Each structure stands twice: as C-alpha cells, then as structure tokens.
Amino acid sequence: MAGIVISTIVYFIAAYFIKRQLVEMGIPKGLTRAMVIFIGGAAFAYGAAYLVDLVVS
C-alpha cells in the first residue's frame, strides 16, 4: 500500500519538474512532449515503488 501512495506522489512531482524543464527548453506542446512527460513520470514512479518495496519487504 505504501508503494502505491509514494509512487503516485513521485509521479506528479516528476511530471511537474519534467514539464517545467521542457518549457524552459522551448519544446512546443504536442503529443511528443506529453509522452515524454508521461513516460518520464512513470519511470520515476516505478523506481520509487521498487525502492519502497525493497525497504518494506
């Protein structure tokens, strides 16, 4: 249960910072930018969930 909660929080934090970085780089809005944000956020979330599972187990 802790993994789900932590990974959800990490996803939104990572998506925010990835989006902010892409805006600073001047990347225009579109499907590619949205996919980069989603995949990057999901990767961080999976990593955080894995680390939580290692600690809790």
Side-chain angles (χ1 to χ4, degrees), residues 2 4 6 8 10 14 16 18-20 25 31-32 41 44-45 48-50 54-55:
I4 295 172
I6 298 295
T8 302
V10 168
Y16 170 77
I18 293 168
K19 182 178 180 180
R20 197 171 93 178
M25 292 172 57
L31 182 62
T32 303
F44 279 105
Y50 177 72
L54 283 178
V55 171

Side-chain angles (χ1 to χ4, degrees), residues 8-27 33-34 36-42 44-45:
T8 302
I9 293 167
V10 168
Y11 172 79
F12 286 110
I13 292 170
Y16 170 77
F17 283 108
I18 293 168
K19 182 178 180 180
R20 197 171 93 178
Q21 183 67 28
L22 293 175
V23 168
E24 288 178 7
M25 292 172 57
I27 308 289
R33 187 174 107 169
V36 167
I37 294 169
F38 173 73
I39 292 170
F44 279 105

Side-chain angles (χ1 to χ4, degrees), residues 52-57:
V52 168
D53 285 342
L54 283 178
V55 171
V56 172
S57 297

